[in-house]
Amino acid sequence: MPNLLVLVRHGQSEWNKKNLFTGWRDPGLTAQGMEEAREAGQAMKAKGLRFDVAFTSALSRAQETNRIMLEELGQGDLEIVEDQALNERDYGDLSGLNKDDAREKWGEEQVHIWRRSYDVPPPGGESLKMTAERVLPYFEKEILPRVLKGERVLVAAHGNSLRALVMQLDKLNQEQVLALNIATGAPIVYQLDDKGNVLGKEMLIEREAH
């Protein structure tokens, strides 16, 4: 039986809806975000998935998504491990700003570079490379060993922390990961071999990424 790892980006947050840079700020889910989490849980249940442990970040939008999904799965008492290593990328001085206002202030090209380059951080914040440098060691030390032990693992996190994980799992290069968008509330099911290599990958919900 292949080892099971499922990644889910949190449902739509209040700041996603308002088109604000969120980062380490901590807005809650919208009604739509809660529904996306419920749909994710229902899709996993329909697939017959069960888990032994769930990992999530220190931010409430991921924690709430995780709670709702586990409720749908009837696994509300599952072991949950929370760690800020799985937090969203820190957007620094952009956090809390409307994306259109940020473009007005710094120019469209500069904001695009901050959002989409691999290793150029916004002022006071993290690049995707810096995000990966905290996410991947945590994955290698805390999450992957439990997967390889045969435990079925759920990870509820964020667009950029999950992009860093998918980059490693799918062996993407820097250019490929820049084109990668992860939709909210859409489970990505991985089957791994005993060395952590991907044997299979399935998207349970097709949803447009923002």
Side-chain angles (χ1 to χ4, degrees), residues 49-138:
L49 299 182
R50 304 283 294 167
F51 296 97
D52 298 300
V53 62
F55 288 85
T56 189
S57 76
L59 298 168
S60 60
R61 59 193 183 275
Q63 294 173 2
E64 182 69 358
T65 297
N66 185 60
R67 184 192 66 75
I68 293 169
M69 292 190 301
L70 292 179
E71 205 171 75
E72 291 296 327
L73 286 162
Q75 289 200 271
D77 58 352
L78 192 74
E79 178 192 355
I80 297 169
V81 182
E82 297 170 1
D83 199 288
Q84 70 177 25
L86 294 174
N87 277 16
E88 177 56 298
R89 172 185 169 191
D90 184 353
Y91 276 105
D93 293 355
L94 300 183
S95 299
L97 289 182
N98 182 285
K99 290 172 185 172
D100 294 330
D101 292 344
R103 290 185 192 102
E104 228 169 79
K105 181 173 180 179
W106 283 291
E108 182 145 352
E109 189 180 343
Q110 182 62 68
V111 172
H112 181 76
I113 289 168
W114 286 333
R115 289 189 72 193
R116 283 295 163 199
S117 70
Y118 181 68
D119 54 7
V120 180
E126 294 178 305
S127 63
L128 180 57
K129 179 175 186 280
M130 292 160 74
T131 306
E133 284 167 356
R134 62 173 159 82
V135 172
L136 295 178
Y138 181 77

Side-chain angles (χ1 to χ4, degrees), residues 156-197:
H158 305 265
N160 284 293
S161 51
L162 293 179
R163 282 171 78 213
L165 279 182
V166 170
M167 181 181 183
Q168 173 153 313
L169 290 165
D170 291 2
K171 296 182 167 54
L172 304 180
N173 62 33
Q174 292 179 19
E175 287 69 39
Q176 289 169 321
V177 78
L178 296 183
L180 173 67
N181 285 307
I182 294 176
T184 51
I188 308 170
V189 180
Y190 280 99
Q191 294 180 332
L192 306 181
D193 68 15
D194 290 338
K195 292 187 174 148
N197 298 309

